[in-house]
């Protein structure tokens, strides 16, 4: 089992920012996987990768909104 290093940063938004970053990276990574599957004629796999991409895009949008809301609250 691979254990991720514990962040030395104890900012309350760190995990949110990190998750946002990972979600957006997955959106771009899936582009490569979709292209690979399409070029091999594997539409089932390409469709599955598109669903993953869509889920990550939605998660990224939710994370961005949450982060914006939190930053706005901190400004008050």
């Amino acid at each position: 089992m691979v254990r991720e290093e514990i962040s030395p940063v104890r900012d309350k938004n760190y995990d949110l920012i990190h998750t946002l970053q990972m979600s957006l990276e997955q959106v771009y990574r899936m582009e490569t996987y979709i292209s690979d599957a399409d070029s091999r004629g594997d539409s089932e796999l390409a469709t599955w990768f598109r669903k993953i991409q869509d889920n990550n895009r939605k998660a990224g949008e939710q994370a961005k909104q949450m982060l914006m809301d939190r930053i706005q609250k901190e400004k008050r």
Side-chain angles (χ1 to χ4, degrees):
M1 181 164 93
V2 177
R3 293 183 56 84
E4 192 170 322
E5 189 174 314
I6 296 174
S7 169
V9 179
R10 291 292 183 196
D11 182 272
K12 65 182 180 175
N13 292 323
Y14 174 83
D15 291 341
L16 176 57
I17 293 167
H18 188 245
T19 302
L20 170 58
Q21 175 192 1
M22 290 188 313
S23 293
L24 296 178
E25 285 177 8
Q26 278 294 95
V27 170
Y28 289 111
R29 183 172 289 119
M30 288 300 113
E31 281 299 320
T32 300
Y33 298 166
I34 292 165
S35 178
D36 290 347
D38 281 339
S39 69
R40 292 186 193 108
D42 193 338
S43 61
E44 178 184 30
L45 189 57
T47 298
W48 187 70
F49 287 140
R50 284 185 181 94
K51 289 178 184 177
I52 293 171
Q53 185 182 50
D54 188 49
N55 288 339
N56 277 283
R57 187 175 284 119
K58 288 175 186 175
E61 289 300 321
Q62 290 172 350
K64 285 192 294 186
Q65 186 61 53
M66 286 179 68
L67 186 58
M68 287 189 301
D69 292 346
R70 289 166 174 264
I71 289 170
Q72 287 300 320
K73 287 178 185 176
E74 288 176 4
K75 287 184 177 181
R76 294 179 195 165

